[in-house]
Amino acid sequence: MSITHSSRSIGAALSLATAVLLGACAQTPSQPESHPTDSDPPPLSGSATPSPGAPVVPVPVALQPNPPQSYTVVPGDTLWSIAQRFLKNPWQWREIWRQNPQVRNPNRIYPGDVLKFSYDASGKPQLEVAEREETPLIKLSPQVRVETINQPIPPVPRDAVESFLTRALVLNEGQWKKSPYIVADDDNQIIYADRDRVYVLGGNFDQPRYQVFRPGEALIEPGSGRNLGTAGIYMGEALLDKDGDPATFTLVNTIAPVRAGDRLFEIEAERELYSFEPHPVPPDTDGFIIAQLNPDVTQITQYSSVIINLGAQEGLEPGHVLAIYGRSRTIDNPISGGSVKLPGERSGLLMVYKVHDLVSYALVMQAERAIRLQDQVTTP
């Protein structure tokens, strides 16, 4: 796949105001304070931005000391957790995976599969799934459908991202203005909840169920100040009673009070979690964490969901892995006077799981030290 590298400039000043919630709580996430940066982001150790047209030298596969010769997959495993058993850098999974043509769906891994580690004729490490037995089947009367008992393991923990997969909405100002909106309920109330009937203008409705979102604050790109869109705050669902102008809906599964002006959108089908694999972004990709999606905690930790200011326009795709670096800082020299610039240290890894045009949603896979809003994300 041809990937367009990130070309966003990193300015001397960071300005950010975010309000995002996607998932199970209708609260706004932590917001970073606006303050100048001390210096440019830290350079990557051991790598440099290649000159135009120069080939990218692959990073050698880094194995764990004495990787297991075999491993039996168990429920609860993820592609990332399995990769960590064999690799120091889990995003190098593609470089050692060998698809066994004798195995049905060789690119998927199921609980009960036995993974075999070996070296090929040239001495390169490889991992493959042993030939598996037939997966047990459940036959449903009257034999309308046959289903497998187990599902392929996902790349990341399902419960960490499931609530965001179909509730991750980012639109530009024009798209928000064109979306259908609630104008009132049937009882002159200011706020609405479950089982309340509401009236909606601005759409032709042909689906039985819709999601209700409220526009949050704009996502502003650090440095450039560019508006990257407005993330939606998930409020609940609405069932269509009668189409018209206005259309009539009944609210259900609300997680916070709904108000006039909240918008309705068709429910997006959940994409398969196992449809991507960990792999690194290109060497010259640079961005920032601009929002945190877990409002119940103040810190960004392992399995926190965040928004970064890189999206499809930079070639990002689900499965892309980025390293997280803290901001560099300047301190006073206690001996000779003057100032000393301290580089930002690597603080963790994240993996992208949903991509919009200008931003992406990512899960923190490793937290090696404190992670903060406005931390840099770049090639691992």
Side-chain angles (χ1 to χ4, degrees):
M1 180 182 110
S2 176
I3 296 181
T4 302
H5 300 333
S6 172
S7 60
R8 292 186 180 152
S9 60
I10 302 173
L14 294 179
S15 170
L16 181 63
T18 62
V20 180
L21 171 66
L22 306 165
C25 298
Q27 304 177 32
T28 55
S30 302
Q31 302 180 20
E33 298 179 359
S34 297
H35 57 82
T37 55
D38 294 317
S39 65
D40 292 333
L44 296 175
S45 59
S47 67
T49 301
S51 58
V56 177
V57 179
V59 178
V61 172
L63 296 174
Q64 293 284 7
N66 302 316
Q69 297 304 299
S70 66
Y71 176 71
T72 302
V73 181
V74 299
D77 277 339
T78 64
L79 190 56
W80 185 276
S81 67
I82 292 175
Q84 284 184 312
R85 294 178 178 271
F86 298 91
L87 299 167
K88 291 183 178 179
N89 303 324
W91 61 86
Q92 294 182 313
W93 176 264
R94 286 183 173 180
E95 299 181 41
I96 70 166
W97 183 248
R98 178 180 178 271
Q99 292 188 356
N100 187 341
Q102 305 302 320
V103 176
R104 183 171 60 89
N105 293 330
N107 60 322
R108 295 183 177 183
I109 302 173
Y110 296 80
D113 282 348
V114 177
L115 306 182
K116 298 291 187 181
F117 177 81
S118 62
Y119 292 89
D120 64 16
S122 63
K124 294 181 179 180
Q126 61 181 14
L127 190 68
E128 64 180 333
V129 60
E131 189 169 351
R132 63 171 69 102
E133 298 179 358
E134 286 295 323
T135 305
L137 300 178
I138 298 178
K139 295 185 178 180
L140 302 179
S141 177
Q143 297 184 351
V144 173
R145 182 177 62 183
V146 177
E147 291 187 345
T148 59
I149 286 179
N150 55 357
Q151 295 294 322
I153 63 167
V156 298
R158 289 182 181 274
D159 57 358
V161 299
E162 271 184 332
S163 63
F164 299 116
L165 285 175
T166 59
R167 301 174 184 177
L169 180 69
V170 176
L171 302 175
N172 61 37
E173 184 178 358
Q175 291 170 321
W176 279 110
K177 288 182 177 180
K178 292 179 181 178
S179 59
Y181 58 94
I182 297 172
V183 291
D185 73 339
D186 62 353
D187 196 28
N188 273 338
Q189 299 297 311
I190 298 176
I191 58 176
Y192 326 128
D194 277 7
R195 297 185 296 276
D196 284 348
R197 178 170 291 180
V198 296
Y199 301 102
V200 180
L201 289 175
N204 294 318
F205 302 101
D206 57 4
Q207 301 296 321
R209 184 182 295 261
Y210 289 78
Q211 288 181 320
V212 182
F213 283 88
R214 179 175 301 156
E217 294 182 22
L219 297 170
I220 304 300
E221 183 173 55
S224 71
R226 183 163 63 133
N227 188 326
L228 303 179
T230 299
I233 303 172
Y234 177 78
M235 309 302 294
E237 298 181 354
L239 302 180
L240 178 64
D241 296 326
K242 182 181 179 181
D243 191 15
D245 191 28
T248 306
F249 285 83
T250 298
L251 297 175
V252 295
N253 302 325
T254 57
I255 60 175
V258 176
R259 297 185 177 92
D262 290 345
R263 312 305 174 97
L264 267 63
F265 297 90
E266 293 184 6
I267 295 178
E268 179 184 356
E270 180 178 324
R271 298 176 182 176
E272 293 184 73
L273 282 173
Y274 46 74
S275 63
F276 61 88
E277 301 170 356
H279 55 292
V281 293
D284 57 350
T285 301
D286 292 293
F288 294 95
I289 296 174
I290 61 174
Q292 175 187 355
L293 302 183
N294 301 71
D296 294 332
V297 296
T298 57
Q299 293 182 326
I300 299 176
T301 60
Q302 185 182 35
Y303 301 146
S304 290
S305 275
V306 298
I307 294 181
I308 62 175
N309 67 324
L310 302 170
Q313 289 192 4
E314 287 73 40
L316 258 67
E317 60 188 17
H320 263 147
V321 177
L322 299 97
I324 307 168
Y325 281 83
R327 295 189 298 273
S328 58
R329 57 196 177 98
T330 301
I331 63 169
D332 294 331
N333 190 318
I335 303 299
S336 63
S339 61
V340 179
K341 184 172 67 176
L342 302 180
E345 299 291 344
R346 199 180 97 162
S347 53
L349 295 168
L350 58 76
M351 184 192 295
V352 172
Y353 63 82
K354 188 159 188 175
V355 178
H356 293 275
D357 285 344
L358 301 177
V359 299
S360 296
Y361 295 78
L363 191 69
V364 175
M365 302 304 301
Q366 293 176 202
E368 300 156 9
R369 60 183 69 222
I371 299 173
R372 300 178 177 87
L373 294 174
Q374 299 180 351
D375 279 357
Q376 179 193 4
V377 293
T378 188
T379 310

